[in-house]
Amino acid sequence: MESEQPAGGLVDAVVVYDGRLLLVEGAGGWGLPSGAPELAESAAAAAARLVYELTGYLVDGSTTLRPEAAGAEEPRTTVVCQLLSEEPSGGARLAPGQLRWVPLAEAAELPLPTAVRHYLEGHTPV
């Protein structure tokens, strides 16, 4: 069950649909949609807002994954989001070429946070 406590640090969104993971292109290459929550915004609400603003996809933040162990450079909260729209709306910050849906098997090879890797392992077809 999602806590309504305000999120701190950065929020990453994990959007899985049809055996694929949504990635966005950023300054450091391809990664999860992420950003800072607004004042008093829960992690689930921040994840849903960030995905929509960046990609145009409507999602619903449903599950918060365990945070990374102490020692991470910045506190991060990761939220699994359910896709609510199969097509993005207009007005997204990122262009279509800056979005990728990668197969989960390929995503498992990416440098993702440990909690995300464990989540994806449970959803990767054998």
Side-chain angles (χ1 to χ4, degrees), residues 62-80:
S62 61
T63 305
T64 301
L65 300 178
R66 289 189 179 271
E68 289 295 303
E73 293 176 17
E74 300 179 72
R76 300 183 87 86
T77 303
T78 305
V79 178
V80 175

Side-chain angles (χ1 to χ4, degrees), residues 1 12 17 25 48 54 60 62 116:
M1 185 166 165
D12 293 327
Y17 179 72
E25 186 177 29
L54 292 171
D60 183 17
S62 61
V116 175

Side-chain angles (χ1 to χ4, degrees), residues 20-21 23 102-112 116-117 120:
R20 298 173 296 151
L21 174 68
L23 298 178
V102 298
L104 294 181
E106 182 181 327
E109 304 300 320
L110 298 171
L112 297 170
V116 175
R117 294 175 65 76
L120 294 178

Side-chain angles (χ1 to χ4, degrees), residues 38-55:
E38 294 180 351
L39 185 63
E41 187 176 41
S42 71
R49 176 184 55 79
L50 289 163
V51 170
Y52 183 73
E53 289 177 357
L54 292 171
T55 70

Side-chain angles (χ1 to χ4, degrees), residues 22-32 94-102 110-112:
L22 177 64
L23 298 178
V24 297
E25 186 177 29
W30 292 97
L32 299 172
L94 299 176
Q98 294 176 290
L99 309 178
R100 279 179 56 197
W101 286 97
V102 298
L110 298 171
L112 297 170

Side-chain angles (χ1 to χ4, degrees), residues 2-29:
E2 173 60 35
S3 167
E4 291 303 316
Q5 293 294 323
L10 295 175
V11 174
D12 293 327
V14 176
V15 182
V16 176
Y17 179 72
D18 196 25
R20 298 173 296 151
L21 174 68
L22 177 64
L23 298 178
V24 297
E25 186 177 29

